[in-house]
Amino acid sequence: MNSAIQCLSHVPQLTQWAKNYPSTNDRWSVTGSYTALIKAMWSGEHQSVAPRDVKLSVSRFASIFTDFGQKDAHEFMNSLLNALH
């Protein structure tokens, strides 16, 4: 999951979209949690951030991620991108 998020956070157009996305209190939606994470990652205010809310919101969209078992990064990336779409 962390690898997929790091890769996606270095796609300039996607990161710019996330940083410009209106802030929302809906951290349970995939879009809300992902954009909040990207904003925190690129704000320069944190030494580290935890993608906890992204994991929880994606697990609501893709039940394969409801547990904490190991999964392939591409499975997570596909689920995240599908949910964002």
Side-chain angles (χ1 to χ4, degrees), residues 11-82:
V11 175
Q13 295 87 351
L14 182 59
T15 297
Q16 195 60 42
W17 166 81
K19 288 167 63 177
N20 291 331
Y21 195 83
S23 293
T24 177
N25 291 332
D26 188 11
R27 67 180 204 173
W28 301 115
S29 74
V30 175
T31 304
S33 62
Y34 180 75
T35 57
L37 176 67
I38 294 299
K39 288 174 186 178
M41 286 173 63
W42 290 99
S43 71
E45 298 175 9
H46 310 280
Q47 288 185 335
S48 64
V49 292
R52 200 171 296 115
D53 292 342
V54 173
K55 192 263 185 221
L56 291 172
S57 63
V58 169
S59 71
R60 287 186 182 95
F61 180 79
S63 62
I64 187 174
F65 297 106
T66 56
D67 64 4
F68 289 92
Q70 292 291 316
K71 307 288 189 285
D72 289 335
H74 80 274
E75 289 179 282
F76 179 80
M77 187 181 296
N78 283 339
S79 296
L80 175 59
L81 289 172
N82 283 335

